[in-house]
Every structure is written in C-alpha cells, then in structure tokens.
Amino acid sequence: MTETDAHVGRAYYAGKTLFLTGATGLVGKVFIEAVLRELPAIKRLYVLIRPRTDAAGRQVSVERRLYDEVFASSAFDELRKRHGEEFGRSR
C-alpha cells in the first residue's frame, strides 16, 4: 500500500460510523486496534459483544469482556504506548 492509498482510505472513513461483530476474536481485536490507530477521524466504532457465562456460572458483562478480552490484548500495546497505560482501562 502506498502513502497515497493510505491517505485515500483515511479520507474515505473520515466521519464514518463502523459496526463490527466478532470483536473478541483475534481478527476483531486486530481490526479494532488498526481502526483506532490508523483512522483517527472515524466518527464512531460500534462493536457487538455478547455477555457470556464464566466457569462459575456467573454472567460476565459486555463491558467487562470489552476491557478484559479486547483492550487487555497485546494488540493494543502500541496504543497504550501512544496514549498512556490508562488506554482501554475500565473507568
């Protein structure tokens, strides 16, 4: 990909809203990281994450899964370096 191609892609997604399913999977995590890193002008990124049940039978919330399974991934190390260790931490 050339610099011009990257610029055209960034321009296309500027102000757009994206919806992603499969956010907790490997490809989903890599995709989210790439969008956050490479497309700063994107308007919104929605991710579909379902609650799940843990081994003890307790329901794990969508928010907990987002922080524990997605943002805690090493795929986000570069964004944590860029934005500080608070990036992707639960509020």
Side-chain angles (χ1 to χ4, degrees):
M1 177 184 294
T2 67
E3 187 69 29
T4 302
D5 292 337
H7 178 71
V8 169
R10 285 187 192 103
Y12 175 79
Y13 286 105
K16 296 273 198 300
T17 298
L18 296 178
F19 178 79
L20 174 68
T21 62
T24 59
L26 174 65
V27 174
K29 291 173 193 174
V30 172
F31 182 81
I32 292 169
E33 190 278 337
V35 167
L36 294 176
R37 181 175 34 85
E38 296 293 333
L39 302 174
I42 194 166
K43 182 177 180 181
R44 265 199 189 99
L45 174 61
Y46 290 102
V47 293
L48 176 66
I49 301 174
R50 290 179 272 189
R52 69 169 174 79
T53 305
D54 67 11
R58 294 177 302 236
Q59 189 163 353
V60 179
S61 72
V62 170
E63 182 180 25
R64 179 65 19 225
R65 290 192 71 198
L66 176 66
Y67 291 115
D68 292 351
E69 297 178 31
V70 179
F71 289 146
S73 168
S74 61
F76 292 87
D77 287 350
E78 181 62 34
L79 288 172
R80 273 189 285 279
K81 283 182 200 172
R82 196 180 290 184
H83 298 286
E85 285 300 315
E86 292 303 309
F87 172 83
R89 290 227 176 131
S90 180
R91 291 172 173 56

